[in-house]
Amino acid sequence: MTTPLVLVHGLWDTPRLFHRLIQELDQPDRPLLAPHLPHGLGWVPLRQLASRLDQHIQERFGSDTMVDLLGFSMGGVIGRIWLQELGGVQRTRRFFSVGSPQQGTLAAQLMPRPLLAGAADMKVGSRLLRELNGQPKALAGIECCSFFCRWDLMVCPGWRAVLPMGRREGLPVWTHQQLISHPAALRRLCSKLRD
């Protein structure tokens, strides 16, 4: 059986974001899960969203089925929390982080935590990211790949959108949203997802 694929959207997005990716992937028999994780425009803390992700995965695939995980933008950080803190690492084969502020983003620096906790979790040097990055071996055993856009204005600077381990690949696009919508980016992502 083909490994199920879990897709996690980011801030100001919904699962519809992945429509083009799913079409390009063209694997109609592959089990897919793209849950809606309402984020309240950034006020829901990312750990809370990771707990909701865990519930969706448990309901759809049980507790033992191995999965591949792709997170776009904030969804990559949510996915990483699930991997490192909620046991997802035990049941994940590959993790694709696409334009995700794994090292923080300057775009979130002015976000006030009391009002926008989820957005503030993505600040450079946030407590959440320090704790995740303080576990260098937490993703050992999973094939990790980070995709980024050098000119990204959402994850700024773009080269910060990388995991502390695994392959890193810049995609030939100009904007954050093009990482998940531009034909060149989709071809590259789908090539990796099909491997």
Side-chain angles (χ1 to χ4, degrees):
M1 182 176 105
T2 307
T3 304
L5 176 60
V6 178
L7 303 169
V8 188
H9 67 82
L11 188 62
W12 303 313
D13 285 320
T14 69
R16 282 178 285 166
L17 165 82
F18 297 115
H19 181 71
R20 290 182 189 165
L21 177 73
I22 293 168
Q23 281 187 316
E24 179 74 23
L25 189 58
D26 192 26
Q27 290 184 314
D29 296 330
R30 185 174 195 174
L32 287 173
L33 173 64
H36 183 221
L37 301 174
H39 45 67
L41 300 177
W43 67 263
V44 181
L46 299 194
R47 283 187 166 112
Q48 187 174 329
L49 294 173
S51 293
R52 291 181 191 166
L53 173 64
D54 184 56
Q55 292 170 358
H56 284 285
I57 293 173
Q58 296 282 352
E59 288 170 7
R60 177 76 164 86
F61 300 121
S63 58
D64 299 321
T65 303
M66 293 296 289
V67 300
D68 287 343
L69 177 66
L70 181 147
F72 171 67
S73 193
M74 182 179 80
V77 180
I78 294 167
R80 187 170 171 204
I81 296 166
W82 178 74
L83 290 167
Q84 292 185 214
E85 297 183 355
L86 300 175
V89 73
Q90 305 299 325
R91 56 175 306 178
T92 302
R93 195 172 61 115
R94 298 182 300 169
F95 176 37
F96 301 94
S97 173
V98 182
S100 298
Q102 304 291 357
Q103 307 299 321
T105 174
L106 296 176
Q109 288 306 108
L110 298 179
M111 300 291 181
R113 180 152 189 87
L115 296 177
L116 298 167
D121 279 338
M122 297 182 285
K123 291 182 181 185
V124 174
S126 75
R127 180 177 176 185
L128 171 68
L129 292 177
R130 285 196 320 270
E131 289 172 357
L132 292 175
N133 289 320
Q135 305 172 42
K137 296 183 181 178
L139 298 174
I142 297 179
E143 180 184 334
C144 294
C145 192
S146 302
F147 295 93
F148 64 95
C149 164
R150 293 186 189 282
W151 302 277
D152 197 332
L153 296 179
M154 291 297 289
V155 180
C156 180
W159 51 264
R160 295 188 71 86
V162 295
L163 294 161
M165 62 185 305
R167 292 187 51 154
R168 300 171 179 188
E169 187 172 329
L171 293 177
V173 297
W174 292 98
T175 69
H176 185 70
Q177 204 65 23
Q178 285 181 337
L179 284 164
I180 201 71
S181 64
H182 191 281
L186 292 175
R187 281 193 297 273
R188 189 70 192 127
L189 291 173
C190 288
S191 172
K192 289 287 188 184
L193 288 168
R194 288 190 202 103
D195 283 349

